[in-house]
Amino acid sequence: YENQIQIFSVVEKLEVYSRRGASLYDSLGTAYCLVGEFKKAEKYLEQALALNPELSSSWGNLGVANFEQGNRDQALVFWEKAIQYNPALAEIMGNLGFLYLDRKDYDKALAYLTRAIKTAPNLPDPYILRAQINFIRNNPAQAMRDYQIGINLKSKFIGRYPALHSFYLRTQNP
């Protein structure tokens, strides 16, 4: 009985160390993502996930690394996995909204963007992306409300959609 308790104690310590190792690999992968070394980032993020497959930040950054390398299908899989483990990742939901908008899957895009806005109402980009969907769907009043919020929050997508931006400018200066 005493030997079993010792074995359990060792196993518990190993689990703690492996989770710390996962965090270390996750941090290295994130750092490599930030400097644009996406292949190296993938290596460390995959090691983190091998130790802790529920590490949402590793799934999210693996999505970023793949997206930046042009692997959008794979990025989609990784980002959906990230929000499976942490449904509060508003930036990841925004990324998914962007990809689905790009694929013209407006229902999925709108669902993710609306979730992102509800989760983090001060995150600017989902508003511009949602405005684009509403503009495409001929809902100009909602499109202009979202676009104005995105402008106020300084979205990086301002002007990315020329027809939407022109429409916004015309409605502001009749």
Side-chain angles (χ1 to χ4, degrees):
Y1 180 75
E2 178 122 352
N3 287 341
Q4 288 175 330
I5 291 175
Q6 287 175 340
I7 290 171
F8 288 138
S9 176
V10 168
V11 169
E12 287 171 357
K13 287 178 184 173
L14 285 173
E15 183 176 7
V16 168
Y17 289 125
S18 73
R19 297 228 181 252
R20 285 186 191 148
S23 294
L24 175 63
Y25 287 130
D26 180 62
S27 295
L28 285 167
T30 300
Y32 277 116
C33 257
L34 290 172
V35 297
E37 294 281 341
F38 300 114
K39 285 290 183 196
K40 287 182 182 176
E42 282 183 281
K43 174 185 150 192
Y44 287 109
L45 295 166
E46 288 168 356
Q47 288 175 318
L49 290 167
L51 295 171
N52 182 0
E54 296 178 11
L55 200 54
S56 60
S57 57
S58 289
W59 288 113
N61 283 319
L62 207 47
V64 169
N66 276 269
F67 179 84
E68 293 297 334
Q69 294 176 87
N71 303 324
R72 289 180 168 210
D73 291 339
Q74 198 59 48
L76 190 78
V77 169
F78 292 139
W79 284 335
E80 287 183 339
K81 196 79 161 170
I83 63 169
Q84 173 187 334
Y85 289 113
N86 184 352
L89 295 172
E91 287 187 19
I92 300 285
M93 285 184 260
N95 292 348
L96 285 163
F98 172 76
L99 280 180
Y100 281 116
L101 170 60
D102 194 50
R103 292 171 173 221
K104 296 180 177 27
D105 188 339
Y106 302 128
D107 291 333
K108 280 187 180 179
L110 194 58
Y112 278 117
L113 295 168
T114 300
R115 278 178 61 193
I117 289 167
K118 285 181 180 177
T119 303
N122 291 325
L123 192 62
D125 299 337
Y127 288 100
I128 300 292
L129 297 171
R130 192 168 75 171
Q132 175 64 6
I133 294 168
N134 281 309
F135 184 72
I136 290 167
R137 289 184 163 181
N138 201 25
N139 185 354
Q142 182 61 50
M144 291 304 96
R145 280 192 294 274
D146 282 343
Y147 203 75
Q148 183 62 58
I149 294 169
I151 286 173
N152 292 344
L153 294 172
K154 305 198 180 346
S155 170
K156 68 180 177 229
F157 287 106
I158 295 169
R160 180 182 181 118
Y161 301 101
L164 172 64
H165 190 67
S166 292
F167 181 76
Y168 171 77
L169 293 175
R170 284 192 313 273
T171 60
Q172 298 305 301
N173 302 311

